[in-house]
Amino acid sequence: MTFMSQFTSIHLDILKEIGNIGSGNAATALSKLLNKKIEMRVPNVKIVSFDEMMEMAGGAENVVASVFLRIEGEIPGSMFFVLPLRQATHFIQQMIGDINFSFEEPPYNEIALSAFQELGNILSGSYLTALSDFTDLSLYPSVPALGIDMVGAIISFGLIEHSQVSDYAIVIDTSLNEEGSTDSERVKGHFFLLPDPSSFQILFDALGVAKT
Amino acid sequence: MIQNVNVDIEKVGIADMKLVKPPQYIRTSGLGSCVGVVIYDSERRIAGLAHVMLPESSLAKTSEFNPAKYADTAVQELVSRLVNKGAKQGTLKAKIAGGAQMFQFSTGNDLMRIGPRNVDAVKKELIRFNVRLISEDVGGNSGRTIEFNPTNGVLFIKTVNKGTIEI
């Protein structure tokens, strides 16, 4: 039996609920931070190939702003908060009150980088706190690391654990939008939660669901 | 690179490998800690590219795995496929790029410095199969997209905000 074939639709639904609770909290935090309404999509839980994962985040060569956290504790894993450069610029302009700032061209303003890292920290922190409360498992996120680079270069780092057991990853993806953004502006911010392969059993046990 | 829309480009995904002959180019996008390994026979004009994720197949936790994912199995497989297609072992050359350290963590486990380990493993395998390493662009902390032209053996490397170089 391969690693991925052990997951049933019930398991995927549970992961979806986990994504829902976590990102719901994160969206609330983002909304408070920017003092704006934030729209959140129902989370997507997918078993995807590595290449498909890159496509979900906008394509391997696409340049994004991201915050990456390594999660240690009872369910180790990786977490990414990924924003297209335009939207990252937009958020940070509002946070630091400088409309001339842009992530499109270096050198980047130190304050802006720090603000973006803090944004990622707050959002991931609220996501993981909710997840920890819900499952009663302890999670210790690392200090967030900032990366402005190609999707492939960034996301592949979170796939290292998965790549040792299979060519697929289970990804819990939630996209966020500022309310009222037009379709052309509807560039998505994404949360990607990638529990390590060994974490799923612990996660399902904590929630009282037997794995098949 | 990139601008020339008339060129037919074979794309290699993550943990994947392919071979090309002119006039096709071969490309892989978004190399971070992964290493892009191009092995080619410049006389017979045939080239292969592997997008390697991990240094050793001993890291695999399953008995069946994809050879393109690991440095040791990828180099071996690439050499044998090239030889099958008429390339001559012993005259094979290589160019490599990637192996960056995308994120810095003080408390990370060994997998956190996977980029340099991938580079070391690829080089070791190239020596084992008697493939001469012509040039490299490895390390640093930026992602790379690479494209190889088997006609003249030029490897283009694009890095975010740093433009394109040829090696």
Side-chain angles (χ1 to χ4, degrees):
Chain A
M1 188 175 72
T2 65
F3 173 69
M4 289 303 165
S5 65
Q6 63 195 341
F7 296 100
T8 65
S9 61
I10 294 173
H11 293 123
L12 297 185
D13 278 345
I14 288 165
L15 295 176
K16 192 181 272 190
E17 187 52 26
I18 284 171
N20 204 7
I21 291 169
S23 48
N25 273 269
T28 307
L30 181 61
S31 173
K32 281 188 186 151
L33 198 63
L34 298 176
N35 200 19
K36 296 231 160 128
K37 280 195 178 169
I38 298 293
E39 289 173 351
M40 187 185 97
R41 298 273 177 89
V42 176
N44 222 334
V45 174
K46 276 189 180 161
I47 297 178
V48 291
S49 72
F50 298 157
D51 286 324
E52 284 167 341
M53 167 98 208
M54 304 305 170
E55 289 307 315
M56 286 171 81
E61 213 184 319
N62 187 26
V63 180
V64 292
S66 72
V67 173
F68 168 64
L69 292 100
R70 183 69 202 154
I71 305 162
E72 300 296 341
E74 289 178 81
I75 43 171
S78 300
M79 172 155 214
F80 293 92
F81 176 56
V82 178
L83 279 177
L85 290 186
R86 243 177 46 161
Q87 204 170 21
T89 301
H90 185 61
F91 281 167
I92 296 307
Q93 282 176 349
Q94 294 181 46
M95 267 178 84
I96 64 173
D98 175 2
I99 53 157
N100 295 317
F101 167 74
S102 169
F103 274 118
E104 314 266 350
E105 286 275 339
Y108 309 117
N109 171 341
E110 287 286 324
I111 303 277
L113 290 180
S114 175
F116 188 70
Q117 195 164 2
E118 189 51 27
L119 175 71
N121 197 20
I122 291 169
L123 300 191
S124 315
S126 42
Y127 192 122
L128 293 174
T129 304
L131 176 53
S132 174
D133 287 349
F134 176 57
T135 56
D136 207 15
L137 294 168
S138 43
L139 301 175
Y140 308 107
S142 70
V143 174
L146 183 68
I148 298 168
D149 213 309
M150 298 175 193
V151 164
I154 287 169
I155 302 282
S156 60
F157 200 75
L159 294 173
I160 290 169
E161 291 290 339
H162 271 277
S163 67
Q164 295 172 52
V165 296
S166 80
D167 288 325
Y168 294 87
I170 295 188
V171 46
I172 304 170
D173 171 26
T174 319
S175 53
L176 301 171
N177 280 299
E178 217 178 301
E179 194 197 36
S181 48
T182 61
D183 267 359
S184 62
E185 282 177 342
R186 203 170 280 266
V187 274
K188 290 175 194 162
H190 287 276
F191 274 107
F192 292 112
L193 179 64
L194 287 161
D196 286 354
S198 61
S199 299
F200 289 102
Q201 180 73 63
I202 301 161
L203 198 53
F204 292 135
D205 283 349
L207 297 171
V209 195
K211 209 159 67 162
T212 49
Chain B
M1 174 186 200
I2 325 288
Q3 293 88 346
N4 196 341
V5 288
N6 298 319
V7 179
D8 182 15
I9 298 169
E10 183 78 67
K11 287 186 182 145
V12 178
I14 186 166
D16 189 13
M17 68 166 74
K18 280 177 184 159
L19 302 189
V20 286
K21 283 183 170 172
Q24 270 198 315
Y25 284 39
I26 191 162
R27 172 199 287 181
T28 195
S29 300
L31 290 164
S33 58
C34 300
V35 176
V37 186
V38 177
I39 300 181
Y40 61 105
D41 181 326
S42 49
E43 273 176 42
R44 286 153 202 90
R45 289 187 175 191
I46 177 166
L49 168 62
H51 186 135
V52 171
M53 279 186 96
L54 293 166
E56 288 159 31
S57 54
S58 60
L59 287 167
K61 290 170 182 160
T62 50
S63 52
E64 276 181 37
F65 57 83
N66 163 11
K69 202 180 333 183
Y70 303 95
D72 54 349
T73 48
V75 171
Q76 181 170 16
E77 179 73 17
L78 209 49
V79 168
S80 97
R81 284 197 201 174
L82 284 164
V83 169
N84 270 339
K85 291 279 182 190
K88 203 170 163 198
Q89 192 157 9
T91 66
L92 291 175
K93 297 175 190 167
K95 293 189 177 182
I96 65 173
Q101 179 85 1
M102 296 306 296
F103 298 100
Q104 316 286 340
F105 285 102
S106 50
T107 56
N109 58 21
D110 215 23
L111 283 174
M112 289 296 166
R113 50 176 301 277
I114 198 83
R117 285 177 60 203
N118 280 338
V119 173
D120 291 348
V122 166
K123 286 184 178 172
K124 202 176 99 192
E125 292 306 310
L126 291 175
I127 290 168
R128 186 155 80 95
F129 288 95
N130 198 16
V131 177
R132 195 152 67 93
L133 181 60
I134 302 295
S135 54
E136 61 180 66
D137 177 35
V138 297
N141 47 24
S142 298
R144 296 170 172 92
T145 286
I146 64 171
E147 193 173 292
F148 185 77
N149 177 356
T151 309
N152 57 12
V154 170
L155 182 67
F156 297 93
I157 301 163
K158 186 173 126 187
T159 309
V160 174
N161 294 327
K162 288 179 194 155
T164 303
I165 60 166
E166 290 178 21
I167 65 168

